[in-house]
Amino acid sequence: MSEALDCPSPGVPSADGEVKITVRDLDFHYGDFHALTGISCDIKARSVTAFIGPSGCGKSTFLRCLNRMNDLIPGTRVDGTVLLDGQDVYGPGVDPVDLRRRVGMIFQQPNPFPMSIYDNVAYGPRLHGVKKRSELDDIVRMSLERANLWKEVKDILDRGGLTLSGGQQQRLCIARVLAVQPDVLLMDEPCSAIDPTSVQKIEDLMAELKSSVTIIIVTHNMQQAARVSDETAFFLQEQAGEPAILVEFGRTAEIFTSPKDKRTEDYITGRFG
Amino acid sequence: MKRDAKNLTNAAALAVFWLAGLTTVVVLGAVIGYVLVNGVGEIGLEFIFTNPHGVNAEGGIWPTIVATLYVTGLAMLIVTPVAVLAAVYLAEYAVQGRLVRTIRFAADTLASVPSIVMGLFGLALFVESMGFGFSVISGALALSFLMLPIVMRTTEEAIRAVPKYIRWGSYGLGASKWQTVSRVVLPAAASRIITGIILSAGRAVGETAVVIFTMGTMINLPVLPTDPGRSMTVHLYQLAMEGINMPAAFGTALLLMAMVLAFNLSARWLLRRNRRMQG
Ligand SMILES: Nc1ncnc2c1ncn2[C@@H]1O[C@H](COP(=O)(O)OP(=O)(O)OP(=O)(O)O)[C@@H](O)[C@H]1O
Ligand SMILES: [Mg+2]
């Protein structure tokens, strides 16, 4: 089972930064299938945390626990605690709809809505009551700029979002999320389905965004994890049918150069090899 | 030896399949060709845009075209909201259990009710009990029963075909379920939904039994929904069965086929365009 990780008690800031998300003893079930067990970690505010691990070890599942996206899958169950800014995400009185606005999510497959570029970005603000055209114009422009897409689309804002290239679509999705001003951005393999130029642009924008947003990225690309993240979490399902655990969590530089756990080392050297 | 026999069987099987496939094309070609050859001489602006006159129904068929389009359009207006709302409920809201299975089974059964039975039912309910008489509205209501299951099932499938990633994108921005359904899912499914509606309208245009029972056979230009009217199919039936005017019957048949074909082609075109747009 999981080695006890040295984590400070919930909500207490660690020495080198404020804690944004605290997870304690999290277990997750898809119906009868026990997918995750004993997950505890602290995600630092305004930093990039990478989730790595073999396919099927529950990285996406864990990510979706953080904004309650798993609520949308029937028959799932979460045990344990997830705190966002010290507040229980699964507590009574928390509206998952509101939570998901604060904890935005980017998926592996770019998923623009079948509407114009402008309307894609304006979708969230409109949901939350912004109606004035000039205000929307500002939000759309700013979000597209932050997503490194403005220059490419500023003259074609009324074109369909689906007419863009895959990499542009992914940045459009990032702009769409940024438009609702989330505190946390969950990115599930955002770069695995797109062209290298766009990958570069997304890595750049992550570096810019982390001054204001807490970012968690799932990636299978070890070089990418090493390049973009401050901290890294390694997940592993040791035996088929058994729940996955969080093996090691720490500063990216340390995880990649001197991991404490043999299993982390084996995985990373295997992937770099 | 053995190898040859095998090859021979293969070739024979292939020939049979080929012939079977060819039969479809030949039958279609024969029907279209027959109607075309007999009807094309009749068709012209006068045939389309003037009234029939005299005991032999000479002249045009304009009122029957109007009646057909009128009753079909009205049926589309009636069926679309009901079918789409029902499909949204089935696909998005209903707990997938006995009730939903029952509704689906009912829809499928409704789709297989012979149209003449539906016509009889429409006669009893709309024409007589509800007092609408032989009228466009009676015809449209009865036709909408016929179209309802088709539109509902195609809409349900269209909604289910919207990728979950797109829904998640919307939920991830803090949208509620209804916001997600109305602002993202339905627009994404729209062209397939419209395709279903058009296909069912094509079916309605070609329907005879239902309209003869509910709209009547009077040749007049229907203006109000409560006016009676004679559809093209009914006109065709009467011209041909009573041997009144065979050329006009074929002309009507040709026009009718062209209309149904136009419906089907536009449905296909919409689907194709949509597929291109969504990559
Ligand atoms: N909706 C679901 N219902 C049931 N089981 C699921 C569901 N989604 C994922 N799982 C299972 O949970 C486990 C973890 O899946 P998850 O997608 O979280 O892994 P992952 O680490 O993201 O993998 P990958 O790197 O391939 O994306 C897998 O065994 C998977 O089969
Ligand atoms: Mg995954």
Side-chain angles (χ1 to χ4, degrees):
Chain A
M1 287 311 244
S2 96
E3 266 81 327
L5 285 157
D6 294 325
C7 285
S9 49
V12 175
S14 55
D16 46 355
E18 177 195 341
V19 172
K20 187 72 188 176
I21 299 174
T22 307
V23 181
R24 286 294 174 274
D25 305 318
L26 182 127
D27 274 55
F28 186 84
H29 289 82
Y30 286 110
D32 293 335
F33 176 58
H34 193 174
L36 294 167
T37 190
I39 311 285
S40 296
C41 62
D42 289 323
I43 310 282
K44 294 206 179 64
R46 293 178 293 280
S47 69
V48 177
T49 304
F51 287 179
I52 61 170
S55 192
C57 69
K59 305 178 295 292
S60 303
T61 304
F62 183 54
L63 210 59
R64 291 196 296 265
C65 289
L66 303 180
N67 68 345
R68 294 186 58 173
M69 210 62 135
N70 284 325
D71 290 16
L72 302 172
I73 304 171
T76 58
R77 201 179 86 223
V78 184
D79 300 297
T81 321
V82 179
L83 306 179
L84 174 67
D85 292 327
Q87 200 197 5
D88 188 358
V89 161
Y90 288 89
V94 173
D95 181 4
V97 170
D98 190 46
L99 172 74
R100 289 183 204 123
R101 191 198 60 72
R102 291 175 59 199
V103 185
M105 190 156 192
I106 301 293
F107 302 88
Q108 176 173 1
Q109 205 58 46
N111 58 350
F113 303 138
M115 50 180 86
S116 74
I117 294 173
Y118 185 97
D119 289 339
N120 263 280
V121 183
Y123 181 86
R126 278 182 179 141
L127 282 180
H128 302 107
V130 181
K131 288 209 183 68
K132 255 182 46 204
R133 182 73 192 198
S134 59
E135 206 176 328
L136 281 173
D137 285 350
D138 288 345
I139 296 176
V140 167
R141 178 184 179 142
M142 214 167 61
S143 308
L144 285 167
E145 277 171 353
R146 290 175 87 196
N148 265 343
L149 186 62
W150 175 251
K151 285 202 199 89
E152 289 152 75
V153 301
K154 64 177 193 290
D155 298 320
I156 51 167
L157 289 176
D158 51 4
R159 244 215 250 151
L162 289 157
T163 62
L164 297 173
S165 78
Q168 290 174 323
Q169 288 187 16
Q170 191 64 299
R171 280 177 283 145
L172 176 61
C173 295
I174 294 175
R176 191 173 71 187
V177 170
L178 292 177
V180 297
Q181 305 201 301
D183 304 349
V184 181
L185 194 53
L186 309 175
M187 308 175 94
D188 194 349
E189 300 185 44
C191 298
S192 56
I194 60 180
D195 61 283
T197 325
S198 287
V199 172
Q200 182 62 52
K201 291 194 164 138
I202 287 177
E203 290 186 3
D204 291 348
L205 76 88
M206 286 170 69
E208 287 153 22
L209 281 178
K210 77 174 183 182
S211 61
S212 55
V213 183
T214 304
I215 299 176
I216 302 177
I217 178 173
V218 175
T219 178
H220 282 279
N221 181 329
M222 293 303 114
Q223 283 87 353
Q224 182 174 55
R227 272 196 307 269
V228 302
S229 71
D230 304 297
E231 297 205 287
T232 297
F234 172 57
F235 292 82
L236 186 64
Q237 179 191 32
E238 290 195 282
Q239 216 100 80
E242 270 194 15
I245 56 167
L246 172 56
V247 174
E248 191 167 351
F249 185 82
R251 296 206 58 81
T252 301
E254 278 159 38
I255 297 264
F256 279 88
T257 53
S258 51
K260 295 198 186 72
D261 198 294
K262 179 82 172 68
R263 292 165 295 183
T264 314
E265 187 179 344
D266 289 346
Y267 177 73
I268 291 175
T269 46
R271 295 288 300 191
F272 265 114
Chain B
M1 257 324 270
K2 222 166 157 198
R3 182 112 173 265
D4 283 355
K6 216 168 173 181
N7 282 343
L8 208 66
T9 331
N10 251 339
L14 211 65
V16 171
F17 291 142
W18 187 79
L19 272 175
L22 194 69
T23 311
T24 321
V25 180
V26 168
V27 170
L28 179 68
V31 173
I32 293 182
Y34 183 68
V35 175
L36 199 66
V37 167
N38 287 291
V40 75
E42 197 72 10
I43 290 188
L45 284 182
E46 198 206 331
F47 184 70
I48 295 176
F49 290 110
T50 63
N51 289 341
H53 52 81
V55 277
N56 290 334
E58 267 124 19
I61 60 165
W62 177 238
T64 72
I65 297 178
V66 172
T68 299
L69 292 178
Y70 196 170
V71 75
T72 305
L74 200 58
M76 283 164 86
L77 282 183
I78 295 168
V79 85
T80 302
V82 178
V84 170
L85 288 176
V88 166
Y89 173 72
L90 283 188
E92 294 284 339
Y93 286 91
V95 178
Q96 305 298 313
R98 264 251 297 286
L99 177 67
V100 169
R101 278 202 300 278
T102 311
I103 295 178
R104 263 190 216 120
F105 178 71
D108 291 344
T109 314
L110 191 62
S112 62
V113 171
S115 64
I116 194 149
V117 175
M118 205 66 95
L120 194 64
F121 181 73
L123 176 70
L125 183 62
F126 305 124
V127 178
E128 284 166 3
S129 295
M130 297 174 79
F132 291 143
F134 289 110
S135 62
V136 176
I137 184 71
S138 295
L141 285 167
L143 278 179
S144 70
F145 280 15
L146 211 66
M147 296 159 76
L148 181 67
I150 309 177
V151 180
M152 194 174 101
R153 292 307 300 268
T154 48
T155 302
E156 196 191 340
E157 264 142 46
I159 290 174
R160 286 185 194 284
V162 174
K164 68 170 192 282
Y165 271 120
I166 292 198
R167 293 156 204 267
W168 284 10
S170 172
Y171 288 125
L173 295 168
S176 66
K177 179 146 198 170
W178 171 243
Q179 288 170 325
T180 301
V181 169
S182 62
R183 299 186 192 202
V184 174
V185 175
L186 283 180
S191 67
R192 286 184 59 170
I193 296 174
I194 295 170
T195 306
I197 295 171
I198 295 178
L199 282 177
S200 78
R203 171 96 207 271
V205 165
E207 184 49 52
T208 315
V210 168
V211 284
I212 209 169
F213 270 121
T214 51
M215 206 162 61
T217 56
M218 275 236 305
I219 297 195
N220 60 311
L221 195 73
V223 179
L224 295 174
T226 46
D227 290 343
R230 180 193 282 194
S231 76
M232 291 166 75
T233 48
V234 174
H235 189 56
L236 165 57
Y237 172 79
Q238 299 214 318
L239 291 184
M241 284 312 283
E242 284 156 36
I244 298 172
N245 185 341
M246 278 322 265
F250 275 111
T252 310
L254 183 56
L255 220 51
L256 196 59
M257 277 196 351
M259 269 164 69
V260 174
L261 199 69
F263 274 100
N264 286 346
L265 285 182
S266 57
R268 278 178 64 127
W269 174 80
L270 247 175
L271 257 189
R272 183 106 41 87
R273 195 191 64 153
N274 174 52
R275 209 166 288 147
R276 236 200 344 262
M277 260 173 47
Q278 305 210 332

